[in-house]
């Protein structure tokens, strides 16, 4: 495989030190080396989640973490409000429905964030009809549309209107790249996945749980085994996981958390903000029509409408020929949008390189494009976010 | 971590080529490179399973594969016969119970294999009481006790007595290391795990499914989402997995299957038989009391009783000081046995090295030991299995 500019919203490219960690020899997962490693991972992940509680590490992709977040805390028949703004919000709702929850899912236009007033109205309607929701399902950053929800505002409404409702949050593609504070916001269950801001391959889901969610788990009756977080918590107390963990990924996560600590979360958040701004400005300068509501555009993934009369498949293949790998639309957005990921191991130069390929290739696909302006627009937007270009260079160099 | 002789029944040590594959850069898991890889893996795994059907690759440890084997094919209330001979047989039964199956689990002494006559009696008793079982749960190789079941004999009885029962088989710690033939034996669902004979880190479960099990899946009503094998099959038809796969492990499995093809399954089976024989003969020569029924002792893991008045914890720590990592007993066998793994990337020299450490360290722990005989006993037993010492050397060299 020649070198690619892998600009999908996960898996993200791996830094060299994380690739090197992929060569580590195995150890006993019930022995002292793994115990130390697991405690270190669980401790160091507290900062990005914003919690003092344990972080549980599951061998599964992010969807498995979402299933754990449902089956450990809910019971069949529970009234649940799903605030879905895209494919992954719908997936979380589907998991709850599969296990017998009674899910209310208001329609929200894809490309938009959720409106706190809509959440208020839905909770009041549920309370009037069948009782307040037992849980509210939220998406922090909707990967399929490129929208980041105003999570603090949404949560504030839930705390007012349904103070007992558990707040279950899919933070898979945002946590670690965007400011987040589980305890300050009062969230109960938060899930992320290894192949996103963590810069390692897919295969681990990391989950944090509030005290009141642990209390709810005692009453919850959905069937659970592999994804039973209570078992994971009990095993963690012994420095283990209930089932054999993906050891190689744990070694890589360990190195990732060292790289992250060296850069610092504030700088990481600024780098993502700069890359997000650069992507949006650059695509707009080329003439692409951004899909997500600009007030809530994500700094980890950007969506844009497919140009008129252009099919995703030849568009994607032509870019891939030049080493640029983008993501297409999912579900109802299939063929209607394309997405450029900018999370994890990414710097503004990667965005500029991607824009250059788009600029070069688009004319041959019949896409009318504005030439000679994208790079400057992207760099300017990034600099505006960061403040000065010297800070940005330092950040790019450290990435 | 200094170099260890990791002699636990998985994860197994990684060959250098597989460690190197751990450095591979990420690709798009919805793109053409992964599609080719997934088809190649699914095709090349058919041989060790003994099937012409698709092999599904799940991002989970083996236990997740077992959960998939239950929830995809069964319904709450189904009568199920669990033929459990240890911790992992009990786990498979627990998963079925968790999801609402009505599980009959006859007591079988740990250390023994299952007796075909017992299976016959149990099926007849179930048929008389509540109808023939909908499924029979079997363990190919019970990792917790070091016993390999006479699976063909057990299955023959099920085919006679309950021809419609689905045969769901945990083959996690045996498949790929021991002869196996899913279609010849008439099995319906077979599960293995990446960190066993496959010589790669934990995190993938591989599952094969018969046509009649696929038909059963259409009627099955246990709730399923992440572990829904029907979704996995539908995605495989497009060269994808339904959820983001553990890409790094897929790259490593690809290299593992190349190494395995180069060695050949017949030679791999002989190498495991030689290592099993060497381990049993060497431990017996030292004076340890083998735990498993000798007629059914496993060629991937050997169990022996802990010497009288010796605790597992100091025993394990003293061996670890010398670089030898063994596994303890699990569940009711905790503190009563120790286990030495010999599967995957292992050769007779590794067994001899482990025996030498046991011989050196045991006296200081107050374990009465026969000195100066273990290596010769181990090598002789291995040679007896293989036939001639030159074949064995060639085998050891290629491992």
């Amino acid at each position: 495989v020649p070198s690619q500019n892998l600009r999908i919203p996960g898996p993200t490219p791996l830094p060299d030190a994380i690739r090197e960690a992929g060569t580590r020899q195995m150890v006993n997962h019930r022995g002292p080396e793994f115990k130390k490693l697991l405690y270190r991972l669980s401790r160091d992940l507290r900062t990005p989640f914003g919690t003092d509680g344990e972080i549980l590490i599951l061998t599964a992709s992010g969807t498995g973490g979402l299933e754990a977040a449902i089956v450990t805390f809910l019971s069949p028949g529970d009234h649940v409000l799903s605030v879905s703004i895209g494919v992954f919000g719908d997936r979380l709702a589907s998991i709850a429905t599969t296990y017998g929850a009674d899910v209310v899912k208001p329609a929200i236009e894809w490309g938009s964030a959720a409106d706190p007033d809509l959440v208020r109205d839905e909770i009041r309607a549920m309370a009037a009809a069948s009782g307040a929701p037992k849980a509210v399902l939220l998406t922090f950053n909707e990967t399929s549309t490129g929208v980041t929800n105003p999570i603090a505002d949404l949560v504030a409404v839930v705390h007012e209107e349904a103070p007992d409702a558990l707040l279950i949050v899919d933070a898979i593609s945002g946590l670690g790249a965007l400011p987040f504070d589980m305890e300050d916001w009062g969230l109960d269950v938060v899930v992320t996945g290894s192949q996103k801001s963590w810069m390692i391959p897919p295969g681990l889901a990391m989950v944090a749980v509030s005290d009141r969610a642990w209390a709810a788990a005692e009453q919850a009756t959905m069937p659970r085994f592999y994804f039973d977080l209570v078992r994971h918590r009990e095993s963690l107390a012994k420095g283990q996981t209930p089932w054999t963990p993906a050891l190689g990924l744990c070694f890589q996560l360990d190195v990732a958390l060292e790289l992250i600590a060296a850069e610092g979360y504030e700088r990481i958040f600024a780098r993502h903000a700069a890359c997000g701004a650069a992507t949006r400005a650059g695509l707009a300068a080329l003439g692409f029509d951004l899909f997500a509501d600009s007030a809530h555009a994500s700094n980890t993934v950007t969506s844009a409408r497919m140009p008129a009369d252009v099919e995703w498949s030849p568009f994607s293949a032509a870019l891939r020929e030049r080493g640029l790998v983008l993501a297409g639309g999912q579900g109802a957005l299939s063929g209607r949008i394309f997405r450029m990921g900018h999370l994890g191991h990414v710097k503004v130069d990667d965005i500029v390189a991607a824009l250059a390929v788009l600029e070069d290739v688009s004319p041959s696909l019949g896409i009318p494009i504005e030439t000679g302006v994208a790079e400057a627009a992207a760099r300017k937007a990034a600099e505006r976010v960061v403040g000065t270009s010297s800070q940005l260079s330092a950040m790019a160099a450290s990435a």
Side-chain angles (χ1 to χ4, degrees), chain A:
Chain A
V1 184
S3 176
Q4 289 182 335
N5 190 359
L6 186 64
R7 300 262 60 83
I8 62 175
T12 80
L14 310 183
D16 288 344
I18 288 173
R19 295 177 64 181
E20 178 60 26
T23 66
R24 286 276 303 275
Q25 192 47 280
M26 292 293 99
V27 298
N28 185 358
H29 59 293
R30 308 278 181 218
E33 303 96 344
F34 183 70
K35 182 178 186 171
K36 272 188 211 161
L37 171 60
L38 187 60
Y39 283 147
R40 190 163 62 238
L41 297 177
S42 180
R43 181 197 67 205
D44 291 350
L45 283 166
R46 290 178 176 187
T47 301
F49 277 89
T51 176
D52 290 331
E54 309 98 330
I55 311 297
L56 307 170
I57 298 178
L58 284 59
T59 296
S61 65
T63 299
L66 297 180
E67 185 158 322
I70 296 294
V71 300
T72 305
F73 305 103
L74 298 179
S75 301
D78 277 351
H79 295 291
V80 171
L81 173 61
S82 154
V83 184
S84 170
I85 62 168
V87 168
F88 291 93
D90 282 4
R91 182 177 294 181
L92 184 55
S94 287
I95 295 169
T97 302
T98 295
Y99 281 90
D102 179 11
V103 177
V104 171
K105 185 163 72 77
I108 301 176
E109 198 185 359
W110 287 12
S112 303
D115 179 347
D117 288 336
L118 173 136
V119 173
R120 186 187 313 275
D121 292 347
E122 290 292 335
I123 292 176
R124 289 183 180 175
M126 287 178 79
S130 53
K134 176 75 185 295
V136 176
L137 313 182
L138 291 167
T139 310
F140 176 40
N141 186 75
E142 175 56 59
T143 317
S144 68
T145 61
V147 170
T148 304
N149 261 321
I151 199 94
D153 298 341
L154 298 172
V155 162
V157 168
V158 178
H159 286 309
E160 273 172 42
E161 299 290 333
D164 295 333
L166 290 177
L167 281 150
I168 297 176
V169 179
D170 169 357
I172 292 172
S173 63
L175 196 73
L178 309 176
F180 196 90
D181 197 324
M182 178 176 175
E183 286 186 3
D184 189 48
W185 295 344
L187 309 180
D188 293 294
V189 188
V190 176
V191 180
T192 187
S194 58
Q195 79 280 21
K196 304 293 187 179
S197 79
W198 313 102
M199 307 182 289
I200 73 169
L204 296 181
M206 295 85 93
V207 188
V209 179
S210 72
D211 288 340
R212 70 174 192 162
W214 285 127
E218 290 172 27
Q219 314 299 324
T221 59
M222 284 180 180
R224 62 196 200 220
F225 196 91
Y226 188 80
F227 290 127
D228 182 352
L229 293 176
V230 174
R231 286 179 198 255
H232 277 80
R233 188 191 202 193
E234 288 166 359
S235 288
L236 181 59
K238 301 180 291 184
Q240 296 186 9
T241 53
W243 332 120
T244 310
L247 273 175
L249 293 171
C250 292
F251 294 145
Q252 292 181 298
L253 182 57
D254 197 30
V255 172
L257 290 171
E258 284 175 22
L259 296 179
I260 287 168
E263 184 175 1
Y265 283 102
E266 288 307 316
R267 289 165 64 89
I268 291 170
F269 298 157
R271 178 165 54 80
H272 282 86
C275 289
T279 305
R280 294 186 293 276
L283 288 175
L286 287 172
F288 289 102
D289 186 13
L290 299 180
F291 177 71
D293 176 353
S294 62
H296 300 285
S298 167
N299 282 330
T300 65
V301 53
T302 294
S303 56
R305 289 186 177 81
M306 285 298 295
D309 304 323
V310 178
E311 299 281 329
W312 162 249
S313 180
F315 177 70
S316 162
L319 297 174
R320 181 178 274 278
E321 283 274 306
R322 293 285 305 277
L324 174 62
V325 180
L326 300 183
Q330 292 174 290
L333 294 174
S334 182
R336 292 179 47 209
I337 64 169
F338 67 88
R339 294 173 299 148
M340 190 182 300
H342 34 85
L343 80 168
H345 185 51
V346 61
K347 53 189 188 304
V348 172
D349 285 348
D350 298 325
I351 305 304
V352 168
L355 294 168
V357 172
L358 275 167
E359 186 168 326
D360 270 8
V361 170
S362 289
S364 70
L365 295 164
I367 302 171
I369 213 90
E370 194 74 26
T371 57
V373 294
E375 174 168 355
R379 294 206 185 273
K380 194 167 173 185
E383 284 164 24
R384 207 177 296 126
V385 166
V386 179
T388 77
S389 60
S390 65
Q391 281 178 343
L392 184 67
S393 310
M395 231 180 283
S398 75

